[in-house]
Amino acid sequence: MAGTDTIKQQGAGAGATGAGQAKAALQVFAGGACYGAMATTYKLAYAAGFTSAQVVASQAWFGCLFFALAALAGHALGHRWQRVGWKLALKLMGLGALTCLTSILYCYAMSVLPAPVALTLLFQFTWLGLVWQTVMTRRPPRPLQVVSALVIVFGTVFASGVYKTGIAGYDPVALLCALGAAVSCSLFVTLSGRVEAPCSSEQRGVIVCAGSVVMSLTVCPDYVVSGVLAQGILLFAVIAGFFGLLCPVLLFGMGSPHLPAGLSTVMAAAELPAGLLIAMIVLGEPLGVVEWLGVAIILAGVCLAQVSPLRAGRLRRDD
């Protein structure tokens, strides 16, 4: 955990260049990779007879529980809890509501659409982040950011296998839900770096996840009293809470404030390569040559996005 370090807002990545921005990019990349475990977790939970609403609620409640335990452990070690005003608390809870909304929409889309189609539509968040960056800063993104986002979207078509199926002829509501998940995901990653929180990462995470719990009540209001934990969902709940909330909220909270919004969403594209690798190992789903080529293209797009920060760091060292 990040201890009691205050998460400072760095407007559009200002004040973080070179090695510092590269470190932040790796944190966001790791946060995106953690999301890669979710598709396999969802599939296994569905196969065990649990509904998407129960899985979403499990992710929210256990993510909040993990952060609460971390905050209590930090307090026991002498870390003071900071006073957080209600306006800031609402903003942080809004972040949690966004990430839970992403899960709600994405889980429904996956239950109706073929996984490659749902994944491809979700991954539109890579370029949507550039849109939010342009709207919020009133400045166009750097050309390399645009190119890297396009490369990632191109690679996703091959890595997900959607080039075989296309997206025509599917349930339009499910298609809209998958696109809605892309919008809410891009907003979460973007806004994670724009909410200044004068408290520890653990305390911040508790408030964010409280918003996720509130949002989960809209789809599964009886989660706690339904007895679903006694029915065997505990393992899926632990995995979903850890990889779906604890790690991403923590890592995005540390890395996103030091990156432009568009770059944050590009770096979060690690989700798909990580998800495909986990599915191959856990579920035994094979990856063909074309799919591996798509993964390589995605990773090339991510590396391309880092050319400018690394170049800036090199110029600073040469001064």
Side-chain angles (χ1 to χ4, degrees), residues 34-78:
C34 289
Y35 278 140
M38 299 316 302
T40 296
T41 303
Y42 294 157
K43 289 182 179 180
L44 292 175
Y46 297 157
F50 300 107
T51 67
S52 60
Q54 291 170 333
V55 176
V56 168
S58 296
Q59 180 174 324
W61 282 94
F62 275 78
C64 192
L65 174 63
F66 288 148
F67 266 116
L69 292 175
L72 288 173
H75 189 66
L77 293 174

Side-chain angles (χ1 to χ4, degrees), residues 163-174:
Y163 68 93
K164 301 175 183 176
T165 63
I167 62 172
Y170 293 112
D171 183 346
V173 174

Side-chain angles (χ1 to χ4, degrees), residues 48 59 89 98 151 179 198 245 249 283 293 314-315:
Q59 180 174 324
L98 277 175
V151 169
L179 286 173
L245 266 184
V249 168
L283 302 178
L293 176 62
R314 188 179 301 113
L315 290 175

Side-chain angles (χ1 to χ4, degrees), residues 3 14 27 44 55 74 83 93 132 147 176 197 208 236 247 255 264 307:
Q27 290 169 333
L44 292 175
V55 176
R83 182 183 296 275
M93 290 180 69
W132 301 131
V147 172
L176 287 175
V208 170
F236 305 116
C247 292
S264 292
V307 171

Side-chain angles (χ1 to χ4, degrees), residues 1-3 5 7-8 10 20 23-25 27-28 192-193 201 204 247-259:
M1 292 297 172
D5 293 338
I7 301 175
K8 298 293 185 182
Q10 304 284 345
K23 178 181 177 181
Q27 290 169 333
V28 174
S192 288
S201 298
R204 180 183 189 272
C247 292
V249 168
L250 182 66
L251 290 166
F252 288 144
M254 291 191 296
S256 294
H258 307 290
L259 298 174

